[in-house]
Amino acid sequence: TECTKLVGGKGTKFDANHTGSEYARIDGGPDAPGYLTNKNGDPGPETVTITAKSYTITYGDPIPTFEYTTKGPALKGTPTLTCDATSASPVGTYVIKVEQGSVTNEKVSLIDGTLTITEAPLTIKAGNYTKKQGEENPTFTLTYNGFKNNDTEAVLTKQPTVTTTAKKDSPA
């Protein structure tokens, strides 16, 4: 529907020949008429800004309970915070998305946070061995400490190897 009886501030009247968005401007009086009035400089309700807190966790750690901070007027309601990452997600950066939720403030600004998942430390250790001169070297084994989420050495992009300078006939 068209609004043909629109009257702006200081009596500016609707003109059907000037309906484009370039004419929708604040009324500046007789020298700069427009269709909208500035309400005498009243900016209206203040904006509440909701910012998701950012977090850094180590791969395999539980995902934290996400929290937020606010700035501006009192928050009316509760925002929703979500993230696609899980404790099994690969190392990387994930968005903590802030959504309106039950917030009823008239003006709301939403600022997302970040969840950064860093590498978990992994220790790989070769065993200690003893042999007598003339014996073959034993088969060396490795022990791993630090795997998470039921990961095994199969997830390593390069498998570690164990070597020694000892030979069959190395002196004792």
Side-chain angles (χ1 to χ4, degrees):
T1 62
E2 293 185 37
C3 181
T4 58
K5 296 186 193 253
L6 179 67
V7 177
K10 306 212 190 278
T12 305
K13 296 197 183 233
F14 176 78
D15 180 349
N17 296 318
H18 296 95
T19 58
S21 63
E22 67 272 17
Y23 295 100
R25 61 184 179 275
I26 301 296
D27 186 8
D31 295 330
Y35 290 105
L36 306 172
T37 302
N38 191 10
K39 294 175 147 184
N40 298 321
D42 178 11
E46 195 177 340
T47 301
V48 62
T49 301
I50 305 169
T51 304
K53 290 184 178 181
S54 293
Y55 299 85
T56 299
I57 65 169
T58 301
Y59 170 78
D61 286 352
I63 299 296
T65 300
F66 300 125
E67 296 178 337
Y68 58 89
T69 61
T70 62
K71 184 177 180 183
L75 184 63
K76 299 174 188 169
T78 305
T80 303
L81 300 159
T82 58
C83 184
D84 292 336
T86 69
S87 61
S89 292
V91 168
T93 302
Y94 300 85
V95 174
I96 301 171
K97 182 81 176 147
V98 182
E99 296 174 327
Q100 191 88 17
S102 66
V103 173
T104 59
N105 294 66
E106 193 171 328
K107 286 180 152 183
V108 178
S109 173
L110 304 171
I111 301 174
D112 296 336
T114 303
L115 174 65
T116 302
I117 301 177
T118 59
E119 294 177 338
L122 177 65
T123 303
I124 304 171
K125 185 176 178 182
N128 293 320
Y129 299 91
T130 303
K131 76 172 201 99
K132 295 181 182 176
Q133 186 176 7
E135 292 179 347
E136 294 292 333
N137 286 336
T139 302
F140 300 116
T141 59
L142 298 170
T143 57
Y144 300 86
N145 186 0
F147 280 120
K148 305 238 182 157
N149 294 325
N150 296 317
D151 288 340
T152 66
E153 62 269 12
V155 301
L156 299 176
T157 55
K158 184 175 180 183
Q159 293 298 315
T161 57
V162 181
T163 60
T164 181
T165 56
K167 305 284 186 229
K168 180 179 179 178
D169 294 327
S170 293

